[in-house]
Amino acid sequence: MRRRAADFRRPARRRSPIWIWLVIGLFCIAGFTLLVVKQNQVYENPAEHPKLVRNGGRVQFTHSNLNLTKESTNPNSYARQLLDQMTLAKAYIVIAKEHNNHHLAWELTSKIRSCQFLLSKAAMRDNPMTQNEAEPLIKSLSTLIFKAQDAHYDIATTIMTMKSHILALEERANAAMVQSTFFGQLATESVPKNLHCVSVKLLASWLTIKKLQEVANEINNSVRLVDNNLYHFCLFSDNLLAVSAVVNSTVSNTDHPKQLVFHIVTNEPNYGATQAWFVSNDFKGSVIEVQKVEDFTWLNASYSPIVKKLTENGFQEYYFEGSQDLNDEPKFRNPKYSSLLNHLRFYIPEIYPHLEKVVFLDDDVIVQKDLTPLFSLDLHGNVNGAVETCLEAFHRFYKYFNFSNPVLSSKFDPQACGWAFGLNVFDLVAWRNANVTDVYHYWQEQNSDGSLWKLGTLPPGLLAFYGRTEPLDRRWHVLGLGYDVNIDNRLIESAAVVHFNGNLKPWSKLGIGKYKPLWERYVNQTHPYLLDCAKN
């Protein structure tokens, strides 16, 4: 039987189903679409896709954004050339106007505007300006600058003119700064309208309600006013609401408010309103005495050098007629320096002859802790207990005084540490023994011409209590809430007394917002007069 020959033909290929080809085609179309979209994104937002540039065998990424600031500082860029020409052109505009060449000034101004438009256009499109764009403007502006130079506006004239303008602008800036500081200080010193309204209503009550005057007379005759077993505080101010906040905060933070005695001295215009306020409000049983400085007949020009100085015509004119000297520091023109109330702190032993120890408080402080432990502090024979302020160099003696005067340089150390009024413990027995008030009078007489220090109560206080001051723990008295917005909150929370020294007082609209609640919580916001005045 004969065999069939082997069949070496390739077997027939099976035909693939059509659905497989459809799937492959869809994947290809989708991949091509994604590739196109991705490529468009690269061209549409080049900032997000840096280009690769080979430099010396290294691959670097470069961004194509236009940084106009860097462009303007690049000496080879067209933007820098235009800016330099614009600066010179502006100088020639000033000179051309001074020489009544208004046509040239107009031409320069027009070209400057064209340059500004081109710079803005380049910044908006995120691309550097090209040579074709910049060259016509550079040439035309150069022509105008040469034209200005041909009109005798040479470089020397330009420099002298611009220097005079710079000096004039500096003088105007300094004058504006002084004026701004003065107006700011004036705004902080003025009594807000609603507080003035409260004083007027209280004065009306004092004059019409006889019962208030009877109660005030009883308080002024109380034996507690001279009891040295109690805790005595003194304040001298014409700001009723500020004093009320000090008293209220002191009373609110003590365990035994009935053992506190407050001695307040104000002036004649505010006496009735102050009396009416403290008589008609409850301060947890503490005694509050109110006096007016005009009743201190012993405090006259023949006894006190400062009273004599305050009544001099030249001193009064300094405040009421104003000074044209721009070198005068505005803070030394503060009206409080012309008020005798500000200087009463040096006459505490005479005002309260029966007391042995007092705590003096300024009207711009708030008490946060019990102050009665101050009365048991050992001052080691010193007269004044105060917190030193020489953590920074500007609170040392040489910053307050003119040490070129041998009267000072021979007796005091220029590097001696300063301290602050605002919270002071005064041992009145040691005060009287050391005749500190006489020392204060001596230095006031030595400074009759203002050659030792300018104005204020701290400089004479530093001299009068020199070698007689006991440093207190810093936590008793934290300062700066009237000008420093960066005081550590932990320091404020730990402070027994916080002091709003500076122009930004908490009762004014200019006060520092984050510190205001410390003061406002001790103001009787529910008092009918305060509510009525706030509404009207």
Side-chain angles (χ1 to χ4, degrees):
M1 184 174 173
R2 197 175 169 187
R3 281 188 184 179
R4 177 184 289 178
D7 190 5
F8 291 100
R9 291 179 301 172
R10 189 164 59 179
R13 182 182 297 174
R14 289 185 180 180
R15 296 186 66 182
S16 300
I18 192 168
W19 64 270
I20 294 178
W21 291 106
L22 289 174
V23 170
I24 294 173
L26 288 173
F27 271 110
C28 291
I29 294 170
F32 180 78
T33 304
L34 288 174
L35 181 63
V36 171
V37 171
K38 191 71 175 177
Q39 192 69 17
N40 287 340
Q41 288 180 350
V42 170
Y43 285 110
E44 289 173 1
N45 193 3
E48 296 179 1
H49 303 277
K51 299 177 181 178
L52 288 174
V53 178
R54 294 194 176 273
N55 183 13
R58 294 176 299 172
V59 178
Q60 296 179 342
F61 288 94
T62 61
H63 295 267
S64 59
N65 304 49
L66 172 65
N67 188 326
L68 196 58
T69 302
K70 291 183 178 179
E71 188 76 7
S72 62
T73 57
N74 180 7
N76 298 320
S77 69
Y78 295 111
R80 171 63 180 270
Q81 294 178 47
L82 278 179
L83 288 170
D84 289 343
Q85 284 192 319
M86 286 167 59
T87 302
L88 189 57
K90 289 177 182 178
Y92 283 128
I93 288 174
V94 175
I95 301 173
K97 287 181 178 179
E98 288 184 349
H99 290 78
N100 294 321
N101 194 343
H102 298 291
H103 180 71
L104 177 59
W106 178 84
E107 287 183 306
L108 289 167
T109 303
S110 177
K111 290 299 179 185
I112 287 174
R113 288 176 180 171
S114 299
C115 294
Q116 291 171 338
F117 176 76
L118 181 58
L119 289 169
S120 301
K121 184 179 176 181
M124 291 292 291
R125 73 186 181 204
D126 254 3
N127 286 321
M129 65 179 66
T130 63
Q131 181 179 358
N132 292 334
E133 291 175 320
E135 192 170 6
L137 275 176
I138 292 175
K139 287 183 177 179
S140 59
L141 199 52
S142 298
T143 302
L144 287 174
I145 291 173
F146 284 128
K147 183 179 178 181
Q149 291 176 347
D150 288 339
H152 306 293
Y153 307 151
D154 54 19
I155 296 298
T157 304
T158 304
I159 292 174
M160 293 302 297
T161 303
M162 297 310 297
K163 184 177 180 180
S164 64
H165 279 283
I166 290 171
L167 292 175
L169 287 172
E170 287 181 350
E171 290 180 2
R172 289 173 61 185
N174 291 335
M177 186 179 298
V178 171
Q179 191 177 45
S180 174
T181 306
F182 175 76
F183 286 143
Q185 183 169 303
L186 186 64
T188 59
E189 292 160 3
S190 60
V191 178
K193 190 175 181 180
N194 61 325
L195 302 188
H196 180 71
C197 167
V198 172
S199 296
V200 171
K201 288 181 176 291
L202 287 168
L203 179 59
S205 299
W206 173 255
L207 296 175
T208 56
I209 303 175
K210 298 299 180 184
K211 181 64 176 176
L212 296 178
Q213 299 183 24
E214 293 175 2
V215 175
N217 288 332
E218 291 178 6
I219 293 174
N220 290 337
N221 293 321
S222 173
V223 295
R224 296 172 65 186
L225 296 177
V226 294
D227 187 351
N228 282 296
N229 294 316
L230 302 178
Y231 305 106
H232 295 265
F233 300 85
C234 58
L235 298 94
F236 311 128
S237 173
D238 57 359
N239 189 326
L240 168 60
L241 212 61
V243 173
S244 176
V246 176
V247 173
N248 194 25
S249 64
T250 307
V251 168
S252 300
N253 291 288
T254 188
D255 297 329
H256 305 287
K258 292 184 178 180
Q259 297 182 15
L260 305 186
V261 182
F262 294 91
H263 304 271
I264 300 170
V265 180
T266 186
N267 52 18
E268 182 72 38
N270 294 281
Y271 175 74
T274 306
Q275 281 282 26
W277 178 270
F278 285 105
V279 169
S280 59
N281 285 280
D282 178 32
F283 290 92
K284 299 183 180 182
S286 59
V287 178
I288 302 173
E289 174 196 32
V290 179
Q291 297 174 279
K292 55 180 182 287
V293 67
E294 287 80 4
D295 289 340
F296 302 153
T297 56
W298 51 268
L299 190 57
N300 49 51
S302 62
Y303 171 64
S304 169
I306 191 63
V307 175
K308 181 180 179 181
K309 185 174 182 177
L310 292 176
T311 55
E312 291 176 351
N313 291 332
F315 190 85
Q316 296 297 324
E317 289 174 0
Y318 181 79
Y319 290 100
F320 295 106
E321 294 185 7
S323 171
Q324 303 300 321
D325 188 1
L326 295 178
N327 294 322
D328 281 351
E329 294 186 48
K331 68 178 182 178
F332 292 119
R333 297 179 56 79
N334 193 321
K336 73 178 183 179
Y337 296 128
S338 64
S339 172
L340 186 57
L341 288 171
N342 198 45
H343 298 270
L344 288 184
R345 64 194 69 190
F346 295 105
Y347 299 97
I348 293 175
E350 287 86 350
I351 300 172
Y352 311 110
H354 301 290
L355 298 183
E356 297 175 354
K357 183 174 284 190
V358 300
V359 169
F360 167 77
L361 297 172
D362 263 335
D363 63 357
D364 55 352
V365 306
I366 285 295
V367 178
Q368 300 186 130
K369 299 185 186 301
D370 188 7
L371 297 185
T372 56
L374 286 171
F375 290 86
S376 58
L377 285 178
D378 185 3
L379 298 182
H380 300 97
N382 288 308
V383 177
N384 173 33
V387 172
E388 292 184 332
T389 56
C390 56
L391 295 178
E392 293 84 15
F394 62 85
H395 286 299
R396 297 192 179 271
F397 269 43
Y398 72 90
K399 286 293 184 179
Y400 295 99
F401 303 104
N402 174 23
F403 273 95
S404 64
N405 192 310
V407 175
L408 284 176
S409 58
S410 62
K411 297 182 179 180
F412 299 97
D413 178 11
Q415 296 294 331
C417 190
W419 45 266
F421 275 122
L423 170 70
N424 301 84
V425 186
F426 290 127
D427 185 337
L428 301 186
V429 176
W431 184 316
R432 296 182 185 103
N433 292 336
N435 294 321
V436 174
T437 302
D438 290 341
V439 176
Y440 164 72
H441 285 170
Y442 169 79
W443 287 113
Q444 284 289 3
E445 290 171 350
Q446 293 294 314
N447 192 51
S448 59
D449 57 354
S451 61
L452 302 185
W453 70 87
K454 292 185 179 179
L455 296 175
T457 54
L458 182 57
L462 294 175
L463 300 183
F465 294 105
Y466 186 75
R468 303 183 180 95
T469 298
E470 179 71 16
L472 301 181
D473 189 294
R474 190 185 178 194
R475 289 170 294 181
W476 279 112
H477 187 192
V478 171
L479 298 101
L481 278 73
Y483 66 90
D484 188 354
V485 298
N486 297 315
I487 302 176
D488 192 336
N489 289 332
R490 294 171 296 180
L491 189 61
I492 293 176
E493 291 171 2
S494 66
V497 170
V498 290
H499 196 166
F500 292 85
N501 59 311
N503 284 335
L504 307 180
K505 301 300 184 187
W507 53 82
S508 72
K509 292 183 178 180
L510 300 178
I512 300 174
K514 69 176 184 178
Y515 301 145
K516 275 191 174 185
L518 299 173
W519 183 82
E520 290 173 343
R521 73 178 63 168
Y522 294 109
V523 178
N524 185 3
Q525 305 284 359
T526 61
H527 193 280
Y529 289 168
L530 275 174
L531 293 174
D532 188 34
C533 289
K535 291 178 182 178
N536 298 326

